[in-house]
Amino acid sequence: MEVQTAQDRIDHLIREINRHNYQYYMLDNPTISDYDFDQLLQELIDLEAAHPELKRPDSPTQRVGGEVTKRFESAAHLYPMQSLGNTYSQEDLGEFDRRVRELLAEPPAYVCELKYDGVAISLIYENGLLVRAVTRGDGTRGDVVTANVRTIPTVPLQLQGDYPPLIEVRGEIIMPFSSFEQLNAEREEIGEAPFANPRNAASGSLKLQDSSEVAKRGLDFKLYFALGEQLPENNHFDRLLKLHEWGFRKPDVMEKVADLQGVYDFLHNWDEKRKTLPYPIDGVVIKVNDFEQQRQVGATAKSPRWAIAYKFKADRVSTKLLSVDFQVGRTGIITPVANLSPVSLAGTVVKRATLNNADFMAEMDIREGDSLFVEKGGEIIPKIVAVDYEKRLPDARPVPFITHCSVCGTELQQAEGEAGIFCPNSDHCAPQIKGRLEHFIARKAMNIDSLGEGKIDMLYANGLVKNIADLYSLTYEQLFGLEKVIEDEEGKTKTLSFREKTVQNILSGIEASKQVPFERVLFALGIRFVGEVTAKKLARHFKTMDAVANAPIEELTTVEDVGERVAQSITAYFNDTDNLEILMRLREAGLQFELSQSQSQPASDALAGKSIVVSGVFTVPRDTIKELVERHGGKNVSSISKNTSFVLAGEKMGPEKRKKAEALGIPIISEEEFKAMIGEN
Ligand code: IVH
C-alpha cells in the first residue's frame, strides 16, 4: 500500500475507533457490534505494524499497552495538587457552610460528588492530545505514569470538539470491586500476597513496569476537576459537563444543591447507597459551584476553603487481642492471624482478623494484651486498623513474630524483596506438603475430586503420601480400612474408615487424572508464580515438559506473562533434584507431559477476538466447552461486562447472569448455536 493511502486509512480507522470507543465507554451506547469493532482494530494493528513510522501517539492501539518503564521519571505539576480538608460529622459540615457564607455576598450553591477511593492523577492535554499522566507525589512533583494510564479505557487519548490548547484534568484512578476480587484470586493462586484493598491494588497497578499488564488490571478513571487558562463555563458543574463533551465520562453521580440541607440529603442517601456501587468510595466531596465564589473563599497553603470531604464512618469496635496464630501457607509464607475476643460488628461476630505480615504488626506496634480497633467499611472483611491505646497495659511487650516455623520448627527466612517471612523447609513442613497436595488435586489442576482436604490429611497422617508422586503408588490394600478419628458437633468422637466404594473411587479418580492435559499438569505442580493462565501459555509455547524444564531464562521471558521473577522461579523448580525425581515418577505413572496432537493445533479462528462467558450446565463438561472456545480462537472470561461478546448459556444459567447480560444487551447463545458457529454440527 502507498504510504499516503496507508496514512489516510490509519487516520480514518483512528477516527472511527475513537468514535466507537466514545459511544461505548462514555455514553454506554455502542453503535457497532463487537465483531465489527474488533475488525477495525485489527486492521489498524496490522497497518501500524507494516508502517511503524505512521503510528500516532493517540492511536487506540495504545490501550493494549506494551511499553515497559523501568524507572518512573518525576515531573513538576503545573498547579500544585492540593488535598481536601476532612470532616466526619454534620456539625463540622455546618461549620464549613457558615465559614463559606461569611465570606460571600450571596449564599452559594454546592455541588456534591462521590469521594472515589483510589489514586489521584493529573492528566495533561496539549492540543487535545494526552501527553502526560502524573501521580500526586508530594503535591508539587509526582511520577510520570503515562504509558500505564493510556491503557485505561475511560481516559481519552485525544479530546474532541472545541477543547483549549492546554488543559490539566484531575481525577481518581480506581479499581472496581470485580477487578479487585479477580486480581486477588489470581495472586493467591500463585502464592502472592493479596492486596489489602482496591486502593492499594490501583496504586500498585499504576506502578507496574509493563503497561500491557496494567491493561489487564481493569482500572477506571473518575473525573473530578480541571485547570487551565481561560477555560469555558463559570462554574464547576457546567465545566464537568463541558469535559464530557470533550471526551470524558460524565461523573456517575453529581448533584447541584441549593443549601446545607441539600448536602445532608445527598450524604445520607449515599452513605446507604454506596453499598450498591461497583467501586469503592470513602465519602462525598462538597464544592462551591461558582468559580467567582470559589475565588472569593480562597485556599490555604494545603487545601481549598471552597471544598470539603465528608468521610463516612466505618463501623468500628475495640476488642481484646487474645493470641496470634502463625499460619503456614502452601508456599511457606507465614501469615499472622489475630484471635480476638468475639465481638459483634455490622451484623456479624468477629473472632479472627488477619495481621497480614511482620511489617504490618511492627507498623501498628501491636503489644501483648492490647485491645485493637476492628473496622468494617465498604468492604466485607473486617480489618484491624489501630491499637486502642487507652486500654494498653503499662510495660506491655511487643508481640514477637516467630523466628521458627510454628509447625516444623525450622528457622524462618525473609523472602527477597517482599514483606513475607517464610519457612524454607518446603519438603518436610506438613502444611506446605499438604498444601501442595491439595493444590495438585484441585478442580482446576488434576481434578481428583474423590480426594479432598480431609482425605489428604488422612493419607499424610498415615505416612502414605509425602509428595504428589506418591499418589500414583497408592494401592487398594494400603487404603482399605484406613481410619480417622473425628469429633462431631457435640464433641463425641467417631471413627471413620475407608470402605471398598471409597477406595475404588479414590483409585479411579487418580487413574483418570492421567488423562488431564499437559497444561493443567504443569499448573498442578505448584511452581511458585505459575498460575493457571501462565501454565497454559507455557504449555502452548514449549509444548513439552522437557522443553519447559530445559528452557533458558531468556526464552522463558519471551512468553507472555512471564517476567524475570517467574522465569527464575521456573528454573529453580526444575533445578531441584527432589523435584526432578518427582517428575520422573509422574512421567512413569503416565501423566501427560506434552500437548496432545489436537491441542497443539488451533481448530479454527471462528471465535477470534471474542470474549465469551460460559455459564450453566452443558451436554459435555464445562471445561470441554471452554477448551473449544480457546481452540477456536476465543477467550474465556469469568464475568459479564460491556466487553463480553456473548454469553454461552447452558441449562440452569443463573438468573443474575441472565439479567446482567440482558441489561447490557449482550447476546445469549445456546450450546447448539455455539456448535454451529464453530462448525461442529
Ligand atoms: S476534588 C483541590 N473531588 O480526595 C483538591 N477530590 O484529599 C481537589 N478525591 O487528593 C480535589 N474524589 O484524590 C475531589 N470527587 C472528588 C474526589 C476527590 C476523590 C480525592 C483526591 C484528593 C483527595 C482529597
Side-chain angles (χ1 to χ4, degrees), residues 321 323-327 334-339 353-370 372 384-387 389 392 397-403 412 419-421:
L321 172 68
S323 62
V324 177
D325 286 344
F326 291 88
Q327 292 180 345
I334 310 285
T335 307
V337 179
N339 291 309
T354 182
L355 290 166
N356 301 304
N357 51 46
D359 285 354
F360 181 87
M361 287 174 66
E363 265 164 41
M364 289 266 170
D365 184 25
I366 292 173
R367 308 268 181 104
E368 286 172 352
D370 268 350
L372 304 175
I384 291 169
V385 289
V387 170
Y389 289 109
R392 172 162 287 172
R397 287 178 311 169
V399 175
F401 202 90
I402 49 173
T403 55
L412 301 178
I421 289 180

Side-chain angles (χ1 to χ4, degrees), residues 80-86 112-121 136 170-174 222-225 227 236 240 253 281-287 302-304 306-309 311:
M81 274 180 98
Q82 293 188 312
S83 60
L84 293 172
N86 284 331
C112 302
E113 293 168 19
L114 302 179
K115 186 170 186 315
Y116 313 106
D117 196 6
V119 185
I121 195 85
R136 181 167 190 277
R170 301 251 178 103
E172 199 89 349
I173 294 191
I174 53 139
K222 299 292 177 192
L223 160 76
Y224 56 64
F225 202 52
L227 293 148
H236 177 71
L240 290 194
V253 180
I281 63 170
D282 58 349
V284 301
V285 178
I286 297 112
K287 300 173 182 171
K302 266 182 27 215
S303 46
W306 47 262
I308 195 156
K311 297 247 238 168

